[in-house]
Amino acid sequence: MTLVWTKTYVTLVYSRPTMKVWIIFLLCLAGQAFAASVTGEEPIADELVVEEEELNLEDALEEIVPEGGNPVQVETGEFDDVIEIVEEDVNAENPCLNHHCKKGKVCEVDEENIPMCVCQDPTSCPESVGEYENVCATDNTTYDSSCHFFAHKCSLEGTKKGHKLHLDYIGPCKFIEPCLDAELTEFPLRMRDWLKNVLVTLYERDEENNLLTEKQKLRVKKIYENEKRLQAGDHSLDLLAHDFEKNYNMYIFPVHWQFGQLDQHPSDRFLSHTELSPLRAPLIPMEHCTTRFFEQCDSDNDKYIALEEWAKCFGIKDQDVDQDLVI
């Protein structure tokens, strides 16, 4: 599997899941989560109904446009007073500058110059330049980009079809093979190992990048310095199962850590379909058991995965589930 970056878009070309891609992918997730905490942005409240809103998964797929720049450039010096007046006029005439709209909508002003969010015209979306920008929706339709998908979904707002339409996975729609029972048991074996090694990689690179908090570093340090740690690599399923049995304690924190990385909108110890999207959408083209695995994790079928359900899916014992580890 290779990782191709173009602008801010990421393409995952699947041959077989490898440790390297997973580490890079989850490094991106960790970086996004840290960036949000540094900027002090408040998490967007979840509506408690999965279909009401989509996670801003496409933030990782679209170019980031700088905000807050002065739209009027004026020479400094004798015209300081003029500069101040111009800035005030610009802000007054552009109430949409600081008005946020969810994906699929754009800001417009009404007759009283009050900002409001309206559905974006799909034709106004930037033209896609490759398949890596395509996304597949739950209606098994390939959209040119996440911008086109969310604009289309907005146009169906209030309808039954729009209520059921969601972003399914990254890339053009393709046939996803059914997940067999035997294959389903293999999924957590690989994922546990990936999560452990992702944390170790973050720890090794964290001298100046602040990829982990101090509390997280202390937890990972114990794993990193453990001489019994299974080194990163393409290991057999038998070896992964044996290592989990013999070095069980090394996997407890990585499983809790991943839950905390996803539990952001809001942080309530429950994962919604929306919060799972950053992990689920890139996984599906590579791991055809992804959907069934997360469905199985929701043991009470309430459309949310609690911390206890998440831990159980990864083989963590009930007595080792600790909310204080979600740091």
Side-chain angles (χ1 to χ4, degrees):
M1 181 166 57
T2 59
L3 186 68
V4 183
W5 286 93
T6 303
K7 297 183 180 179
T8 56
Y9 301 98
V10 60
T11 302
L12 295 174
V13 182
Y14 176 69
S15 58
R16 179 176 178 83
T18 64
M19 171 68 60
K20 183 176 179 181
V21 169
W22 263 100
I23 288 177
I24 295 175
F25 166 63
L26 287 176
L27 274 171
C28 295
L29 290 183
Q32 290 178 336
F34 174 75
S37 64
V38 171
T39 55
E41 294 178 352
E42 292 295 329
I44 301 173
D46 201 313
E47 292 292 338
L48 297 183
V49 179
V50 175
E51 294 84 356
E52 288 299 322
E53 64 177 349
E54 297 288 334
L55 178 70
N56 292 333
L57 171 65
E58 67 281 2
D59 287 345
L61 308 175
E62 298 178 351
E63 294 184 338
I64 301 174
V65 181
E67 296 180 358
N70 184 358
V72 179
Q73 301 297 326
V74 184
E75 293 292 333
T76 59
E78 298 179 358
F79 303 100
D80 289 341
D81 292 337
V82 176
I83 295 174
E84 183 176 355
I85 294 174
V86 170
E87 288 180 346
E88 291 178 356
D89 288 341
V90 169
N91 289 331
E93 295 175 0
N94 294 276
C96 282
L97 288 178
N98 297 313
H99 189 76
H100 175 76
C101 294
K102 70 178 184 178
K103 292 300 177 179
K105 293 190 174 185
V106 293
C107 180
E108 292 184 0
V109 295
D110 60 16
E111 296 178 352
E112 298 179 356
N113 207 36
I114 297 177
M116 57 186 296
C117 294
V118 298
C119 289
Q120 182 177 3
D121 183 352
T123 60
S124 68
C125 292
E127 185 177 353
S128 61
V129 296
E131 284 191 356
Y132 59 84
E133 295 185 51
N134 296 165
V135 296
C136 183
T138 51
D139 61 353
N140 201 37
T141 298
T142 298
Y143 294 83
D144 288 346
S145 68
S146 59
C147 176
H148 291 84
F149 164 74
F150 282 100
H152 176 70
K153 178 176 172 62
C154 183
S155 68
L156 299 174
E157 200 169 59
T159 67
K160 185 176 181 179
K161 183 177 180 180
H163 188 67
K164 294 182 177 181
L165 184 63
H166 304 289
L167 177 63
D168 198 14
Y169 55 87
I170 297 172
C173 294
K174 66 178 185 178
F175 173 72
I176 304 297
E177 297 180 2
C179 175
L180 304 179
D181 292 343
E183 295 173 321
L184 187 61
T185 62
E186 300 173 358
F187 186 92
L189 292 175
R190 290 192 295 268
M191 192 165 183
R192 279 192 306 248
D193 186 61
W194 289 330
L195 294 179
K196 180 196 66 180
N197 287 290
V198 163
L199 276 174
V200 170
T201 302
L202 289 173
Y203 179 81
E204 292 174 331
R205 301 180 180 181
D206 203 34
E207 293 183 1
E208 299 178 357
N209 296 324
N210 294 320
L211 301 173
L212 298 172
T213 67
E214 292 303 317
K215 289 183 178 180
Q216 290 171 341
K217 288 179 183 178
L218 291 175
R219 295 282 181 179
V220 183
K221 182 179 180 181
K222 295 179 181 179
I223 301 174
Y224 176 74
E225 295 179 346
N226 195 319
E227 296 180 354
K228 297 181 179 180
R229 175 170 59 89
L230 182 65
Q231 300 296 317
D234 292 328
H235 304 298
S236 68
L237 296 174
D238 288 340
L239 179 58
L240 293 177
H242 177 76
D243 186 65
F244 179 64
E245 180 181 352
K246 295 298 182 182
N247 299 307
Y248 166 78
N249 289 331
M250 291 189 196
Y251 295 91
I252 296 176
F253 179 67
V255 171
H256 283 75
W257 170 79
Q258 179 63 86
F259 185 92
Q261 294 300 297
L262 297 172
D263 184 27
Q264 301 287 336
H265 307 284
S267 180
D268 58 1
R269 299 300 185 262
F270 289 92
L271 297 181
S272 65
H273 180 278
T274 295
E275 291 172 310
L276 281 170
S277 292
L279 181 62
R280 180 181 176 277
L283 264 179
I284 293 178
M286 299 183 294
E287 289 276 4
H288 64 281
C289 284
T290 300
T291 297
R292 186 177 172 190
F293 175 78
F294 288 128
E295 288 176 348
Q296 178 181 273
C297 287
D298 181 20
S299 58
D300 59 5
N301 295 317
D302 66 348
K303 305 300 181 182
Y304 292 89
I305 299 178
L307 174 59
E308 293 76 13
E309 292 175 317
W310 175 268
K312 185 176 181 179
C313 277
F314 288 99
I316 304 301
K317 302 172 184 176
D318 291 343
Q319 62 267 28
D320 295 319
V321 178
D322 187 354
Q323 296 199 18
D324 291 338
L325 293 181
V326 185
I327 53 178

